[in-house]
């Protein structure tokens, strides 16, 4: 059996630029073990990995001279062409899901009970199917665009394209058991995230 009755798997997702990193920190502070899908996504396209080979075969000029994936180049491609984004996702999601399940199982087999899967594409990758609870972080569209611009050093158009390639606020709210709206600034949002992490941790931490 992959996951036992003594574990609880949380899926954390949401809009880009809404504050998922801050929310993840709150759960980590409480004591949740975190499977970071941004790290997983990098690991599965390392040199020599089959996912990288598939990307090189399906996208032109996305491999750097040193053999690594040109992340900026492929991001520009997939966030400007929906068919390319679909192709990219079809290639990488199976590898991501396999690694996520493996990492979560390692935590549980090591005696950890509270596991958080930090996944921007939780629903798209299918990782939501292994979660007991789903939490989304959301915010107003313009706030998200501004944060993406600042975080990734992008133009307004580039940031807007990235956000438009994702689901909207309503989608995340409807698909989640809990959501946190980052509408009042960092301090207030951090308090909300810590309160929710404690609430869920107290519910499931002792069995």
């Amino acid at each position: 059996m992959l996951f036992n009755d003594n574990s609880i798997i949380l899926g954390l997702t949401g809009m880009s630029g809404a504050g998922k990193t801050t929310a993840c920190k709150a759960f980590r502070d409480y004591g949740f073990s975190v499977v970071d899908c941004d790290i997983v996504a990098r690991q599965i396209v390392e040199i020599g990995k089959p996912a990288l080979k598939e990307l090189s075969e399906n996208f032109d000029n996305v491999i750097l001279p040193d053999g690594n994936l040109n992340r900026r180049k492929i991001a520009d491609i997939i966030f400007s062409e929906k068919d390319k984004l679909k192709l990219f996702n079809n290639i990488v999601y199976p590898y991501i899901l396999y690694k996520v399940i493996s990492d979560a199982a390692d935590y549980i087999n090591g005696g950890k009970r509270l596991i958080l899967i930090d996944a921007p594409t939780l629903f798209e990758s299918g990782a939501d199917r292994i979660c007991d609870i789903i939490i989304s972080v959301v915010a107003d569209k313009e706030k998200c665009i501004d944060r993406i611009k600042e975080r990734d050093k992008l133009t307004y158009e580039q940031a807007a394209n990235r956000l438009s390639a994702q689901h909207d606020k309503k989608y995340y709210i409807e698909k989640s058991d809990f959501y946190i709206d980052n509408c009042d600034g960092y301090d207030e949002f951090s308090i909300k995230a810590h309160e929710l992490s404690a609430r869920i941790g107290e519910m499931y931490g002792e069995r």
Side-chain angles (χ1 to χ4, degrees), residues 40 44 51 54 86-101 124-126 129:
V40 169
I44 60 117
E54 284 195 51
K86 183 178 180 180
L87 174 60
F88 176 84
N89 290 341
N90 287 341
I91 291 171
V92 302
Y93 283 158
Y95 293 104
I96 290 174
L97 182 58
Y98 178 86
K99 186 69 165 61
V100 166
I101 293 173
E124 296 85 347
S125 65
R129 296 195 298 269

Side-chain angles (χ1 to χ4, degrees), residues 23-131:
C24 181
K25 182 180 182 302
F27 281 89
R28 195 190 296 273
D29 288 345
Y30 186 86
F32 280 79
S33 298
V34 176
V35 178
D36 187 332
C37 288
D38 283 339
I39 294 176
V40 169
R42 290 179 177 273
Q43 291 172 334
I44 60 117
V45 294
E46 290 173 347
I47 295 175
K49 296 294 179 68
L52 181 63
K53 183 174 184 294
E54 284 195 51
L55 290 175
S56 68
E57 292 170 347
N58 287 274
F59 293 89
D60 295 330
N61 304 315
V62 294
I63 305 299
L64 294 167
D66 64 3
N68 284 295
L69 181 66
N70 187 332
R71 298 179 183 281
R72 178 57 67 92
K73 175 67 177 295
I74 202 162
D76 289 342
I77 293 171
I78 65 177
F79 288 117
S80 59
E81 301 179 51
K82 288 186 177 180
D83 60 328
K84 297 295 186 182
L85 177 60
K86 183 178 180 180
L87 174 60
F88 176 84
N89 290 341
N90 287 341
I91 291 171
V92 302
Y93 283 158
Y95 293 104
I96 290 174
L97 182 58
Y98 178 86
K99 186 69 165 61
V100 166
I101 293 173
S102 176
D103 288 353
D106 286 345
Y107 276 131
I108 292 169
N109 292 334
K112 302 297 184 181
R113 300 171 67 181
L114 301 175
I115 315 297
L116 179 75
I117 298 175
D118 180 2
T121 55
L122 185 77
F123 302 114
E124 296 85 347
S125 65
D128 61 303
R129 296 195 298 269
I130 66 170
C131 296

Side-chain angles (χ1 to χ4, degrees), residues 15-16 71-80 85 144-145 148-149 151-167 172:
M15 302 165 67
S16 181
R71 298 179 183 281
R72 178 57 67 92
K73 175 67 177 295
I74 202 162
D76 289 342
I77 293 171
I78 65 177
F79 288 117
S80 59
L85 177 60
C144 289
I145 292 174
I148 296 169
K149 280 173 55 185
R151 182 191 67 199
D152 298 335
K153 304 298 186 288
L154 301 175
T155 66
Y156 180 92
E157 183 179 4
Q158 288 172 322
N161 283 340
R162 293 200 178 187
L163 192 62
S164 66
Q166 303 171 11
H167 299 293
Y172 286 109

